[in-house]
Amino acid sequence: LLDRGHANRILIFDLDVHQGDGNSEIFKNNRNVFTFSMHSSSNYPIHKAKSDLDVELKDNTEDKEYLDILKFNINNLNNENFDFIFYIISCNF
């Protein structure tokens, strides 16, 4: 999208339980891709990559606290102008 001129700014919005280390590493030198990861502080990987914004949650975070933290960060990110947002979450069934 960036290389073809279809986007200037992209947000990768990762709410997986573990830190979005892959995306953070891939795009760490790309200022046109903003990586956001909200994850458990005690989960894999032990050594976290640096996202543009990492929000580490303590173990046993309850729903209301999780949603309050998420809403706060969404509101802050809403001030940015992103052409595309990629939402990442994984489920194990």
Side-chain angles (χ1 to χ4, degrees), residues 26-45:
I26 291 167
F27 296 109
K28 68 182 173 186
N29 295 317
N30 190 328
R31 297 294 54 157
N32 295 328
V33 177
F34 189 94
T35 54
F36 170 83
S37 180
M38 194 163 101
H39 52 270
S40 170
S41 62
S42 64
N43 210 330
Y44 170 88

Side-chain angles (χ1 to χ4, degrees), residues 14-60:
D14 192 330
L15 297 182
D16 199 341
V17 69
H18 69 277
Q19 199 248 355
D21 57 324
N23 288 316
S24 298
E25 281 297 313
I26 291 167
F27 296 109
K28 68 182 173 186
N29 295 317
N30 190 328
R31 297 294 54 157
N32 295 328
V33 177
F34 189 94
T35 54
F36 170 83
S37 180
M38 194 163 101
H39 52 270
S40 170
S41 62
S42 64
N43 210 330
Y44 170 88
I46 294 172
H47 301 288
K48 310 281 192 263
K50 182 166 176 18
S51 300
D52 292 302
L53 178 57
D54 283 300
V55 177
E56 292 192 337
L57 302 171
K58 64 182 184 287
D59 289 343
N60 302 312

Side-chain angles (χ1 to χ4, degrees), residues 55-80:
V55 177
E56 292 192 337
L57 302 171
K58 64 182 184 287
D59 289 343
N60 302 312
T61 298
E62 294 291 331
D63 292 349
K64 181 178 179 345
E65 182 181 6
Y66 178 93
L67 292 172
D68 288 344
I69 294 168
L70 179 60
K71 182 178 178 180
F72 173 81
N73 284 284
I74 288 173
N75 286 336
N76 286 339
L77 289 171
N78 197 33
N79 296 326
E80 300 281 338

